[in-house]
Amino acid sequence: MSLFDTFKSGSTILVISNLTIAELESAPQAVRDILLSVPIDHIEFIEFTEEANDLADTYLQEGVVSKKSRVDAQHIATATISRVDVLVSWNFKHIVNLERIHGYNSVNLRLGYPILEIRTPIEVIDYED
């Protein structure tokens, strides 16, 4: 079962931010269609806020990622502020990277935010025997 199948079935809720929606506007139609295939009642929409912007700025100031990766830092901060269970990504350079994960979570803990689980899609799919 694919990750998006779990969203379609409702066994997992897709949490998506306005940042992601903005990025998808320039994505190929086939990619947008995947998101549109998830029933709206299986999606939770979250917003990039001023608090998330401040947290993203802290990630940049602390050198977790460079200023060129501001949008990645904003995604992490939005997920952290919204207290999502898991952020899932294929971005190994700036997001699903052990050194970066430790950096994000070090900042989070120091500022009183929870640790954010950051995983690849393969790590969160339930493989039945």
Side-chain angles (χ1 to χ4, degrees):
M1 176 180 276
S2 79
L3 180 59
F4 271 87
D5 287 337
T6 68
F7 298 141
K8 290 178 196 176
S9 73
S11 62
T12 304
I13 299 298
L14 172 62
V15 179
I16 191 164
S17 72
N18 56 324
L19 294 171
T20 304
I21 291 170
E23 287 181 332
L24 287 172
E25 288 176 4
S26 62
Q29 187 61 47
V31 173
R32 291 188 305 229
D33 287 345
I34 293 170
L35 179 62
L36 293 171
S37 71
V38 178
I40 196 82
D41 55 333
H42 298 173
I43 301 174
E44 178 183 338
F45 293 95
I46 59 176
E47 293 290 323
F48 176 65
T49 63
E50 190 62 39
E51 182 182 6
N53 188 58
D54 292 344
L55 181 55
D57 284 346
T58 303
Y59 296 147
L60 299 175
Q61 292 163 4
E62 297 281 329
V64 177
V65 290
S66 71
K67 289 184 177 22
K68 294 186 300 185
S69 300
R70 177 175 292 281
V71 172
D72 296 321
Q74 291 172 337
H75 282 291
I76 300 296
T78 300
T80 297
I81 298 293
S82 299
R83 289 169 165 67
V84 300
D85 292 332
V86 180
L87 183 138
V88 179
S89 175
W90 283 117
N91 182 334
F92 295 109
K93 187 172 183 180
H94 303 119
I95 296 179
V96 190
N97 169 306
L98 190 57
E99 183 179 334
R100 307 251 192 247
I101 292 168
H102 286 167
Y104 292 126
N105 282 323
S106 173
V107 170
N108 289 351
L109 289 173
R110 195 171 63 252
L111 297 178
Y113 293 106
I115 288 175
L116 177 62
E117 290 288 340
I118 301 173
R119 301 286 180 243
T120 68
I122 291 171
E123 293 177 289
V124 298
I125 297 171
D126 183 23
Y127 294 98
E128 296 178 11
D129 294 329

